[in-house]
Amino acid sequence: MSDSIRAVRRVPSRRAFAGAEASADRHCVGGGRSADRRSLGGGGEPGPGREPAGVPVTGRYGSVVMKFGGTSVADADAIDRVARIVRREIDGRADAAPPIVVVSALAKVTDRLVDAARRAENGDGEGAVAALNELLERHVAVTTALTSGARRAETIAAVGEEFAGAVGLVRALAILREVSPRSLDAVLAAGELASSRIVASALAERDIPAIWFDARAIVVTDAEHTAAAPDTAATCSRARATIGAAAGRGQVPIVGGFIGATAQGITTTLGRGGSDYSAAILGACVDAQEIQIWTDVDGMLTADPRLVDEPRLVRHLSFAEASELAYFGAKVLHPSTILPAVAKDIPVRIVNSHTPDAPGTLITKETRRSDGELAAIACKRDVTVVDITSTRMLMAHGFLRRLFEVFERFKTAVDVVTTSEVSVSVTVDDTRRLDAIVDNLRSFAEVSREPDMGIVCVVGETLRADATAFARAVDALGSLPLRLVSQAASRRNVTFVLRDADVPDAMNRLHGAFFESPAYHGPTTSERVV
């Protein structure tokens, strides 16, 4: 293996357990809008409005964790841009440890892998294999454009091994016509394993001392396949001994996001969008100075640009505000990303890899916005309201515990909860197990459900101090019929449940009331385009 890039010993190949695998087994919030696709020059001063990369926000002087999403590693040009961004980070922080780089699969690859698995489930083994071979050809083409010589051959061979394992697995799954969550995780892992190999080789080709790590040898999770939860203690122990030690030696660790493995070495995934979560976990483990989420949007916006024409860039959010927005569908940020950062008080920065000089959005413990400014408006589409009514609630204890134990038993989260003397209403967006939930609830209560609903949420720390905000929000919605209204105990958000068809109108009315006045200082989308 070439001197400038090394690979850490990986967990056993999927081929080793492919046979066992086969036999065993809607959101909307301001996620930003892509700006001009300007190329990044090397080195130089930081862009206007953004702190230099080498200046710590919290006084830390360790590594920065840089996570690059699928659109930021979509093709050879995008990965070349990533290399220049990483080089600039290194040059700008000469007195600190080099960055740790976490990457997603190439753009749309995870979707294609899911499609291949579903083809196998339907018995179309040849179609599944053909889809995987197309993906392999794409990865080989990207590798060929970015590398040369022995490094190119080594990387193509490594990528080929990942897809060969996936091909063997889908052939077996097509015979069984069954894809378990465990098997699906094994197929999906090929995306991040291949992309991280390619990025590591591309950086090494450009004289960046990259070292590749298999995420499955670092991120330890439970066995909840397709939505695994990390074991923080075990993961941090491995992370400090691997990527942390490598960064301390002056190397740039490259690791795939989204994937991990159980303590027994069985491949798992953290759920869609889990690469952000991977970056945050690893950042917390190594006590990073900052966690950077590099994507194709300018940062968090005051509303979803698909619903509101001129949303504003939110330059700064508190951890709590970002958590609320991510929970209600900020696709630019995985809902779990904030949790590890909060635990270690590590700033999170959302940045556009196409316009790296733009300030982006900085997320820290406390907000820095002007007094009276809210953060953003978020929404979640296609939710179901479940009404549970029982006279047993009246003057009784233990009823709510019994009710929510049903949701817990079927691993279904609720978003909004309202209660009265004899009824409880909740909203859910995951209806896969709702029939079973309703059947269980009907053993002790009357239950009805109403689909095709939506949630609109006004978020901001200043809601606690502004006694008029709630009234202004209700007034802005005017004649729109409201199904449920809730304000969290933290008084950080006001939530409205209404018909899904009314969500676009509600978003525009609320945005006009809170963010389109001269008092609001954030730049509009058009003002940010250069």
Side-chain angles (χ1 to χ4, degrees), residues 71-224:
T71 54
S72 295
V73 293
D75 51 32
D77 288 341
I79 294 174
D80 185 62
R81 186 162 53 241
V82 165
R84 295 198 297 273
I85 293 172
V86 173
R87 167 59 68 189
R88 186 171 76 165
E89 186 70 31
I90 294 171
D91 293 344
R93 303 175 71 252
D95 59 342
I100 295 167
V101 177
V102 179
V103 297
S104 298
L106 306 190
K108 304 299 182 184
V109 164
T110 301
D111 290 338
R112 296 296 306 278
L113 290 169
V114 170
D115 178 65
R118 295 309 172 213
R119 285 172 182 260
E121 188 174 44
N122 293 328
D124 183 11
E126 293 309 309
V129 170
L132 292 176
N133 285 334
E134 287 181 12
L135 289 177
L136 175 59
E137 291 175 6
R138 176 182 170 189
H139 285 76
V140 169
V142 171
T143 303
T144 301
L146 291 167
T147 58
S148 62
R151 184 179 292 114
R152 175 188 292 171
E154 291 171 1
T155 307
I156 289 175
V159 170
E161 180 184 350
E162 300 300 344
F163 280 98
V167 165
L169 182 54
V170 297
R171 286 191 188 280
L173 296 174
I175 294 173
L176 291 176
R177 295 199 175 198
E178 179 182 355
V179 178
S180 68
R182 172 173 165 172
S183 298
L184 181 60
D185 277 353
V187 174
L188 297 185
E192 272 73 14
L193 291 170
S195 67
S196 58
R197 291 265 195 185
I198 294 171
V199 170
S201 293
L203 266 59
E205 187 81 9
R206 288 149 183 79
D207 298 322
I208 295 172
I211 174 171
W212 178 80
F213 287 89
D214 188 333
R216 297 172 299 179
I218 301 173
V219 180
V220 183
T221 74
D222 63 15
E224 189 66 32

Side-chain angles (χ1 to χ4, degrees), residues 345-369:
D345 194 16
I346 301 173
V348 176
R349 192 186 298 272
I350 303 170
V351 205
N352 192 339
S353 62
H354 299 282
T355 56
D357 289 329
T361 298
L362 180 64
I363 305 170
T364 58
K365 184 176 181 179
E366 302 292 340
T367 185
R368 300 177 186 172
R369 291 189 310 278

Side-chain angles (χ1 to χ4, degrees), residues 352-417:
N352 192 339
S353 62
H354 299 282
T355 56
D357 289 329
T361 298
L362 180 64
I363 305 170
T364 58
K365 184 176 181 179
E366 302 292 340
T367 185
R368 300 177 186 172
R369 291 189 310 278
S370 301
D371 291 343
E373 288 185 5
L374 297 181
I377 302 170
C379 68
K380 183 178 285 191
R381 309 293 299 272
D382 192 24
V383 303
T384 298
V385 175
V386 181
D387 294 315
I388 304 103
T389 304
S390 175
T391 54
R392 300 180 191 179
M393 282 185 64
L394 194 62
M395 304 296 290
H397 66 274
F399 183 86
L400 290 178
R401 175 187 58 79
R402 185 179 181 187
L403 186 157
F404 287 110
E405 278 179 348
V406 174
F407 287 91
E408 193 268 340
R409 190 182 314 138
F410 291 96
K411 298 179 180 179
T412 299
V414 301
D415 296 320
V416 180
V417 180

